[in-house]
Amino acid sequence: MNISDIRQHFPILDQQVNGKDLVYLDSGATSQKPLAVIDALSTYYKEYNSNVHRGVHTLGTRATDGYEGAREKVRRFIGAKSIQEIIFTRGATTALNIVAQSYGLTNVKEGDEIVITYMEHHANVIPWQQVAKITGATLKYIPLQEDGTIDLKDVEETITPNTKIVSVMHVSNVLGTINPIKEITEVAHKHGAVMVVDGCQSAPHMKVDVRDLDCDFFAFSAHKMCGPTGIGVLYGKKALLEKMEPVEFGGEMIDFVGLHESTWKELPWKFEAGTPIIAGAIGLGEAIDFLEKVGLDNIESHDRKLTKYAYEQLSQVDGLTIYGPSPEKRTGLVTFNIEDVHPHDVATVLDAEGIAVRAGHHCAQPLMKWLKVSATARASFYLYNTEQEVDKLVAGIKKTKEYFSNV
Ligand code: PMP
């Protein structure tokens, strides 16, 4: 599929915003959805809306097949061994909280260490702060290099025999840095710690193979990879998940319920209490089909090429600071500030040009502190973005500079 074929699948892109053709550069926050995903949700509700796992009627069977079929697609998509290792959650945030509450609170005690990095999203900071607070463990940060990358020497120094959990993002939602997860996992395992990966910004943009990474847990959200909101995935190695207690209890997750004691279903259902996110899972399955039709390799090379192009074009704009590493170490986005202009003003002027970018702390306040800024602007790219759109961004930024130099 070439880029204009790809864009045909995203009806939302074909519109004007503030009188200008929409340039959507905020896929890091949430991606747009192809027609196939929108249609799959609508077909489910129009034709076979039903609860799963219980009814023997035809619609219930069709809904169950759709829901469980999506689980198999996710398993294949990330290279997991078994569908028992694929838990549907409300999103990456919920997935990371399950690991923190279920694995963290049981396996971490006073004097132990939990290791994260300065670039983590709040979803991969606060759950660990809570575990540290409750257990008396210490939360440690792997420092960053000046260019916003991680040096393995620092990984070796930060992780110790007292470390029980290491949790690191695969790709930064602010710096775009692609982190050496496989190598960090090796260090974590050498010390007997489990490795948790926040894959929110990698799963949409590159082929992920959890068995190759050898991580113990991997979390991501469907809405950043062409799927619907409200659904995400927690992958966990079966041996670990089997020993973990659910964090939510109720219908769907039980095997037998007595007056004072109950038993749980087998994996993965013991972690999915209540009526599950049926339409969401079906939509995620359709999104995976779509991404695989385009080809993850093609998406990865497109996104990296476009990021490099944006980085190079933006580097030539005077008074603009780009955060994070050189293009070959990053994917998906460019984060920047224009001298003497607040990023919210940047985003507002760009919006008037029909260009959607994100401005703020990007749910990464520890990283903002490290960068010594309170906020930045971020342009993030996906399979439907073009070089012409990057050119419009650059023109919009030049206009912003001009506008603010006259006020
Ligand atoms: N981690 C990263 C790196 C993210 O970019 C995001 C979403 N901005 C999250 C975690 C949280 O994802 P969600 O809000 O979908 O749970």
Side-chain angles (χ1 to χ4, degrees):
M1 261 193 264
N2 66 31
I3 189 92
S4 55
D5 290 336
I6 288 172
R7 287 180 72 91
Q8 298 292 321
H9 289 264
F10 294 86
I12 200 169
L13 297 176
D14 185 22
Q15 66 170 299
Q16 296 222 316
V17 167
N18 297 321
K20 304 278 169 56
D21 287 345
L22 169 65
V23 175
Y24 186 76
L25 301 180
D26 197 19
S27 297
T30 196
S31 76
Q32 297 304 349
K33 323 300 174 202
L35 265 179
V37 170
I38 299 166
D39 289 346
L41 297 177
S42 153
T43 302
Y44 164 71
Y45 284 120
K46 280 198 292 201
E47 294 181 12
Y48 62 103
N49 172 52
S50 214
N51 217 321
V52 292
H53 298 151
R54 34 188 102 146
V56 288
H57 60 72
T58 304
L59 297 195
T61 308
R62 210 177 145 195
T64 303
D65 289 348
Y67 182 72
E68 292 303 333
R71 197 188 307 275
E72 166 57 19
K73 288 180 191 179
V74 172
R75 183 204 65 74
R76 209 188 50 231
F77 185 69
I78 60 168
K81 206 184 271 180
S82 150
I83 56 118
Q84 293 190 296
E85 300 179 315
I86 306 298
I87 297 159
F88 285 128
T89 68
R90 203 166 61 73
T93 303
T94 308
L96 292 164
N97 273 282
I98 291 173
V99 183
Q101 285 172 39
S102 176
Y103 185 87
L105 290 180
T106 322
N107 291 282
V108 173
K109 58 181 187 332
E110 194 172 353
D112 287 344
E113 298 162 353
I114 300 165
V115 170
I116 61 173
T117 79
Y118 279 105
M119 68 173 90
E120 299 310 315
H121 186 282
H122 295 164
N124 199 28
V125 176
I126 310 165
W128 305 119
Q129 286 178 350
Q130 290 300 105
V131 174
K133 217 183 276 178
I134 294 166
T135 60
T138 307
L139 183 60
K140 287 169 74 181
Y141 286 79
I142 298 171
L144 305 183
Q145 297 298 291
E146 204 144 303
D147 68 348
T149 56
I150 292 173
D151 188 329
L152 285 173
K153 269 210 299 266
D154 291 321
V155 173
E156 292 272 5
E157 269 170 33
T158 315
I159 300 173
T160 75
N162 292 330
T163 307
K164 293 292 179 292
I165 295 171
V166 179
S167 194
V168 177
M169 67 201 325
H170 199 173
V171 172
S172 164
N173 63 315
V174 178
L175 305 168
T177 317
I178 303 167
N179 287 324
I181 292 298
K182 206 170 160 174
E183 290 77 5
I184 301 173
T185 302
E186 265 178 42
V187 181
H189 286 170
K190 193 172 73 185
H191 291 291
V194 295
M195 181 72 191
V196 186
V197 180
D198 172 359
C200 259
Q201 300 290 345
S202 63
H205 297 284
M206 58 177 68
K207 183 83 198 102
V208 167
D209 184 332
V210 288
R211 269 188 281 179
D212 180 53
L213 293 174
D214 199 26
C215 56
D216 299 290
F217 300 99
F218 188 93
F220 59 102
S221 288
H223 69 92
K224 293 180 198 284
M225 43 179 280
C226 295
T229 51
I231 182 143
V233 172
L234 171 62
Y235 157 82
K237 281 185 184 162
K238 189 176 165 191
L240 289 168
L241 291 175
E242 265 175 347
K243 286 195 212 124
M244 287 161 55
E245 279 290 296
V247 296
E248 285 190 337
F249 304 87
E252 277 282 325
M253 53 77 69
I254 47 84
D255 183 23
F256 167 80
V257 178
L259 288 183
H260 299 285
E261 284 288 336
S262 301
T263 56
W264 320 141
K265 260 192 193 154
E266 59 178 334
L267 286 174
W269 300 287
K270 77 170 179 181
F271 286 104
E272 295 178 3
T275 296
I277 314 147
I278 307 165
I282 290 167
L284 169 58
E286 204 63 39
I288 288 174
D289 287 346
F290 180 80
L291 295 176
E292 288 180 341
K293 214 178 286 165
V294 179
L296 263 296
D297 289 346
N298 295 332
I299 294 169
E300 179 171 356
S301 67
H302 169 81
D303 294 352
R304 289 185 79 151
K305 214 168 101 198
L306 203 58
T307 303
K308 182 168 186 281
Y309 180 70
Y311 185 97
E312 287 166 355
Q313 297 304 305
L314 291 170
S315 301
Q316 288 168 28
V317 180
D318 279 346
L320 189 135
T321 305
I322 299 178
Y323 303 99
S326 52
E328 65 281 1
K329 294 179 186 164
R330 64 161 69 210
T331 189
L333 56 93
V334 180
T335 295
F336 57 92
N337 265 327
I338 303 175
E339 207 173 16
D340 298 330
V341 187
H342 193 279
H344 282 139
D345 293 332
V346 176
T348 305
V349 177
L350 291 175
D351 183 54
E353 298 295 313
I355 303 166
V357 299
R358 179 93 183 262
H361 55 56
H362 313 288
C363 298
Q365 289 186 44
L367 178 62
M368 294 295 117
K369 188 163 184 256
W370 183 84
L371 290 171
K372 299 190 177 65
V373 295
S374 59
T376 68
R378 179 187 73 185
S380 51
F381 314 108
Y382 208 12
L383 71 168
Y384 36 67
N385 290 121
T386 64
E387 285 194 357
Q388 289 84 337
E389 289 183 311
V390 172
D391 293 340
K392 285 185 183 176
L393 170 71
V394 174
I397 286 171
K398 287 182 177 161
K399 204 166 175 175
T400 312
K401 275 187 58 184
E402 223 166 90
Y403 177 81
F404 282 97
S405 65
N406 294 327
V407 290

